[in-house]
Amino acid sequence: MNPIKHVAIIMDGNGRWGLRYRNSRNLGHRAGLETVENIIKQTLKKKIKFLTLYAFSTENWRRPKKEIVFLFKLLEEFLTKKINELHNKGIKLKIIGNKKAFSKKLNKILTNSERKTQKNKSLQLNLALNYGSKAELINAVNLTIKKKKHVNEKNIENNLYTNDSPDPDLLIRTGNTNRLSNFLLWQTAYSEIFFVRKLWPDFKTKDYNKILLKFKRIKRNFGNI
Ligand code: IPE
Ligand code: IPE
Ligand code: MG
């Protein structure tokens, strides 16, 4: 049985769910937040040490302003309301992505949340915000060169946003779309990938458990036989 250290998730399908059931993409994002809480809870319960959630990509800036504003308000609201609960559960929050694009207010909330939870050990929650794998890699190569180090695997990994997390064992994408959308392209070189038909707000603990179980039985070769 394969052990699971790190699960990464592309939480896709909120917009379609919202349009279908609430006549509003934004209400789909709000519904998706419930799934986020459930999945965090279940990850803790399963004693998985790292969970990475893709919440906003470097390409998501192409969306209508109204939706972008709503998403960041939702994030602010979530952290303000829930950071104590996350902290009490022993969750360490880490933002991966480029924070420079965010407002002063949001930056402060993010930094404070990270600082408050930095010593926690139960679960590291990597929240990918304004995250793009290509930007991350370019940044890592530039940092490596700046530090006058050789550009090799080890040094690039040391300079990725995820330098304190093992590579994901499995990657899940909900929303019936089979692509990576610029997410963890380096880190998923050997991850098992699960594409799920269900939209993110419909993704339940039961669906998650099924995938975890399926993963445990896969023969992982890493090039070997
Ligand atoms: C959530 O799903 C992902 C985010 C960017 C927050 P979407 O908003 O992409 O939902 P669909 O794919 O349009 O249904
Ligand atoms: C990927 O979903 C980004 C997040 C889940 C945050 P998108 O909905 O933005 O991906 P594309 O544009 O369909 O590839
Ligand atoms: Mg989408």
Side-chain angles (χ1 to χ4, degrees):
M1 294 281 253
N2 299 318
I4 308 177
K5 284 202 207 110
H6 186 175
V7 176
I9 306 182
I10 302 174
M11 312 181 287
D12 196 25
N14 287 347
R16 279 165 284 163
W17 189 96
L19 281 181
R20 194 176 301 164
Y21 299 108
R22 301 281 184 276
N23 201 24
S24 139
R25 287 183 55 86
N26 284 349
L27 290 181
H29 291 307
R30 192 176 279 289
L33 211 49
E34 250 177 73
T35 305
V36 170
E37 291 194 57
N38 287 337
I39 296 305
I40 293 174
K41 259 186 219 150
Q42 192 60 13
T43 307
L44 265 174
K45 204 164 150 194
K46 294 282 179 192
K47 299 197 163 41
I48 295 165
K49 290 289 177 187
F50 296 86
L51 174 66
T52 300
L53 299 178
Y54 202 7
F56 195 88
S57 75
T58 47
E59 288 75 39
N60 286 145
W61 296 109
R62 294 176 185 151
R63 295 189 179 201
K65 179 122 192 275
K66 194 178 129 212
E67 181 166 337
I68 296 173
V69 168
F70 185 87
L71 278 169
F72 284 104
K73 268 196 107 152
L74 207 59
L75 173 69
E76 259 185 54
E77 191 187 301
F78 176 74
L79 285 179
T80 312
K81 271 198 201 150
K82 301 282 177 172
I83 194 64
N84 282 332
E85 193 183 323
L86 297 179
H87 181 51
N88 291 337
K89 285 182 171 153
I91 296 171
K92 171 180 174 174
L93 179 74
K94 174 166 174 169
I95 307 302
I96 61 169
N98 186 354
K99 280 190 245 175
K100 280 186 193 137
F102 305 145
S103 70
K104 255 194 174 165
K105 185 179 171 212
L106 181 60
N107 253 303
K108 207 169 155 189
I109 295 174
L110 295 174
T111 311
N112 286 344
S113 304
E114 285 184 297
R115 210 174 283 149
K116 185 184 177 91
T117 61
Q118 66 185 345
K119 294 213 172 88
N120 290 342
K121 296 257 184 289
S122 304
L123 168 68
Q124 176 163 328
L125 174 61
N126 297 321
L127 196 59
L129 285 176
N130 192 20
Y131 174 89
S133 194
K134 289 187 180 179
E136 179 188 35
L137 275 164
I138 290 165
N139 183 54
V141 173
N142 279 328
L143 283 174
T144 306
I145 293 168
K146 211 166 139 193
K147 293 175 189 166
K148 298 197 175 5
K149 302 266 194 185
H150 289 294
V151 176
N152 58 27
E153 249 184 65
K154 186 97 196 57
N155 289 330
I156 288 179
E157 275 169 6
N158 285 340
N159 289 291
L160 293 173
Y161 302 133
T162 53
N163 57 8
D164 56 355
S165 308
D167 285 343
D169 299 293
L170 59 157
L171 168 69
I172 301 169
R173 180 176 188 141
T174 59
N176 199 20
T177 301
N178 304 349
R179 55 178 171 253
L180 295 181
S181 303
N182 202 11
F183 189 49
L184 303 178
L185 299 180
W186 174 288
Q187 297 89 332
T188 56
Y190 269 100
S191 304
E192 305 298 332
I193 303 182
F194 295 83
F195 292 109
V196 178
R197 284 223 184 93
K198 282 193 179 177
L199 306 173
W200 179 247
D202 289 330
F203 187 68
K204 304 292 174 203
T205 306
K206 203 176 68 191
D207 305 306
Y208 188 38
N209 285 343
K210 263 193 206 154
I211 291 173
L212 297 179
L213 202 65
K214 213 167 165 188
F215 166 82
K216 286 190 177 174
R217 299 177 193 282
I218 292 172
K219 182 168 175 281
R220 303 183 80 191
N221 292 341
F222 299 102
N224 207 331
I225 51 169

mmCIF file of all heavy atoms in Angstrom, residues 11-16 25 60 63 173 175 177 179 181, ligand 3:
data_model
loop_
_atom_site.group_PDB
_atom_site.id
_atom_site.type_symbol
_atom_site.label_atom_id
_atom_site.label_comp_id
_atom_site.label_asym_id
_atom_site.label_seq_id
_atom_site.Cartn_x
_atom_site.Cartn_y
_atom_site.Cartn_z
ATOM 1 N N MET A 11 -9.155 22.652 -7.888
ATOM 2 C CA MET A 11 -10.579 22.727 -7.492
ATOM 3 C C MET A 11 -11.358 23.413 -8.612
ATOM 4 O O MET A 11 -11.540 24.620 -8.610
ATOM 5 C CB MET A 11 -10.708 23.544 -6.205
ATOM 6 C CG MET A 11 -9.731 23.133 -5.104
ATOM 7 S SD MET A 11 -9.942 24.087 -3.596
ATOM 8 C CE MET A 11 -9.254 25.665 -4.051
ATOM 9 N N ASP A 12 -11.824 22.626 -9.581
ATOM 10 C CA ASP A 12 -12.447 23.241 -10.753
ATOM 11 C C ASP A 12 -13.942 22.906 -10.824
ATOM 12 O O ASP A 12 -14.364 21.829 -10.416
ATOM 13 C CB ASP A 12 -11.735 22.763 -12.025
ATOM 14 C CG ASP A 12 -12.070 23.631 -13.221
ATOM 15 O OD1 ASP A 12 -12.432 24.813 -13.026
ATOM 16 O OD2 ASP A 12 -11.975 23.127 -14.361
ATOM 17 N N GLY A 13 -14.711 23.843 -11.347
ATOM 18 C CA GLY A 13 -16.132 23.588 -11.592
ATOM 19 C C GLY A 13 -17.090 24.445 -10.781
ATOM 20 O O GLY A 13 -18.308 24.299 -10.908
ATOM 21 N N ASN A 14 -16.557 25.344 -9.963
ATOM 22 C CA ASN A 14 -17.434 26.214 -9.160
ATOM 23 C C ASN A 14 -18.366 27.059 -10.026
ATOM 24 O O ASN A 14 -19.558 27.191 -9.729
ATOM 25 C CB ASN A 14 -16.597 27.216 -8.344
ATOM 26 C CG ASN A 14 -15.888 26.565 -7.190
ATOM 27 O OD1 ASN A 14 -16.190 25.436 -6.835
ATOM 28 N ND2 ASN A 14 -14.944 27.280 -6.613
ATOM 29 N N GLY A 15 -17.811 27.640 -11.074
ATOM 30 C CA GLY A 15 -18.580 28.554 -11.923
ATOM 31 C C GLY A 15 -19.766 27.850 -12.562
ATOM 32 O O GLY A 15 -20.908 28.321 -12.515
ATOM 33 N N ARG A 16 -19.489 26.663 -13.126
ATOM 34 C CA ARG A 16 -20.562 25.905 -13.782
ATOM 35 C C ARG A 16 -21.612 25.457 -12.772
ATOM 36 O O ARG A 16 -22.808 25.522 -13.024
ATOM 37 C CB ARG A 16 -19.967 24.681 -14.525
ATOM 38 C CG ARG A 16 -19.385 25.019 -15.884
ATOM 39 C CD ARG A 16 -18.507 23.903 -16.387
ATOM 40 N NE ARG A 16 -17.224 23.896 -15.695
ATOM 41 C CZ ARG A 16 -16.380 22.872 -15.689
ATOM 42 N NH1 ARG A 16 -16.701 21.754 -16.311
ATOM 43 N NH2 ARG A 16 -15.226 22.964 -15.043
ATOM 44 N N ARG A 25 -22.264 32.480 -11.082
ATOM 45 C CA ARG A 25 -20.944 31.840 -10.926
ATOM 46 C C ARG A 25 -20.407 32.075 -9.519
ATOM 47 O O ARG A 25 -19.858 31.186 -8.888
ATOM 48 C CB ARG A 25 -19.946 32.403 -11.953
ATOM 49 C CG ARG A 25 -20.196 31.937 -13.383
ATOM 50 C CD ARG A 25 -19.109 32.477 -14.306
ATOM 51 N NE ARG A 25 -17.781 32.124 -13.846
ATOM 52 C CZ ARG A 25 -17.151 30.979 -14.127
ATOM 53 N NH1 ARG A 25 -17.731 30.072 -14.901
ATOM 54 N NH2 ARG A 25 -15.945 30.733 -13.649
ATOM 55 N N ASN A 60 -5.993 33.440 -14.212
ATOM 56 C CA ASN A 60 -7.353 33.782 -13.787
ATOM 57 C C ASN A 60 -7.614 35.294 -13.768
ATOM 58 O O ASN A 60 -8.770 35.724 -13.673
ATOM 59 C CB ASN A 60 -7.689 33.169 -12.416
ATOM 60 C CG ASN A 60 -7.935 31.673 -12.464
ATOM 61 O OD1 ASN A 60 -7.604 30.941 -11.536
ATOM 62 N ND2 ASN A 60 -8.526 31.187 -13.555
ATOM 63 N N ARG A 63 -10.301 36.850 -16.089
ATOM 64 C CA ARG A 63 -11.752 36.795 -15.818
ATOM 65 C C ARG A 63 -12.331 38.190 -15.593
ATOM 66 O O ARG A 63 -11.601 39.127 -15.301
ATOM 67 C CB ARG A 63 -11.998 35.925 -14.578
ATOM 68 C CG ARG A 63 -11.589 34.491 -14.838
ATOM 69 C CD ARG A 63 -12.005 33.580 -13.728
ATOM 70 N NE ARG A 63 -11.597 32.218 -14.076
ATOM 71 C CZ ARG A 63 -12.119 31.124 -13.564
ATOM 72 N NH1 ARG A 63 -13.071 31.214 -12.652
ATOM 73 N NH2 ARG A 63 -11.700 29.938 -13.948
ATOM 74 N N ARG A 173 -8.093 16.560 -10.089
ATOM 75 C CA ARG A 173 -8.772 17.707 -10.701
ATOM 76 C C ARG A 173 -10.243 17.374 -10.844
ATOM 77 O O ARG A 173 -10.611 16.409 -11.517
ATOM 78 C CB ARG A 173 -8.197 18.071 -12.067
ATOM 79 C CG ARG A 173 -8.939 19.283 -12.655
ATOM 80 C CD ARG A 173 -8.402 19.796 -13.967
ATOM 81 N NE ARG A 173 -9.054 21.057 -14.320
ATOM 82 C CZ ARG A 173 -8.466 22.090 -14.872
ATOM 83 N NH1 ARG A 173 -7.185 22.035 -15.176
ATOM 84 N NH2 ARG A 173 -9.135 23.187 -15.147
ATOM 85 N N GLY A 175 -14.230 18.747 -11.959
ATOM 86 C CA GLY A 175 -14.801 19.624 -12.979
ATOM 87 C C GLY A 175 -14.757 19.082 -14.398
ATOM 88 O O GLY A 175 -14.971 19.848 -15.349
ATOM 89 N N THR A 177 -12.530 18.212 -16.563
ATOM 90 C CA THR A 177 -11.600 18.842 -17.508
ATOM 91 C C THR A 177 -10.231 18.192 -17.325
ATOM 92 O O THR A 177 -9.726 18.135 -16.201
ATOM 93 C CB THR A 177 -11.499 20.352 -17.221
ATOM 94 O OG1 THR A 177 -12.806 20.919 -17.344
ATOM 95 C CG2 THR A 177 -10.569 21.048 -18.191
ATOM 96 N N ARG A 179 -6.847 18.666 -17.895
ATOM 97 C CA ARG A 179 -5.602 19.398 -18.159
ATOM 98 C C ARG A 179 -5.040 19.912 -16.842
ATOM 99 O O ARG A 179 -5.719 19.902 -15.816
ATOM 100 C CB ARG A 179 -5.840 20.553 -19.141
ATOM 101 C CG ARG A 179 -6.922 21.523 -18.715
ATOM 102 C CD ARG A 179 -7.059 22.685 -19.720
ATOM 103 N NE ARG A 179 -8.225 23.495 -19.432
ATOM 104 C CZ ARG A 179 -9.348 23.491 -20.158
ATOM 105 N NH1 ARG A 179 -9.453 22.723 -21.228
ATOM 106 N NH2 ARG A 179 -10.359 24.266 -19.823
ATOM 107 N N SER A 181 -3.526 23.085 -16.456
ATOM 108 C CA SER A 181 -3.713 24.537 -16.307
ATOM 109 C C SER A 181 -2.586 25.208 -15.501
ATOM 110 O O SER A 181 -2.835 25.976 -14.573
ATOM 111 C CB SER A 181 -5.075 24.845 -15.661
ATOM 112 O OG SER A 181 -6.115 24.270 -16.426
HETATM 113 MG MG MG B 3 -12.630 26.248 -14.514
#
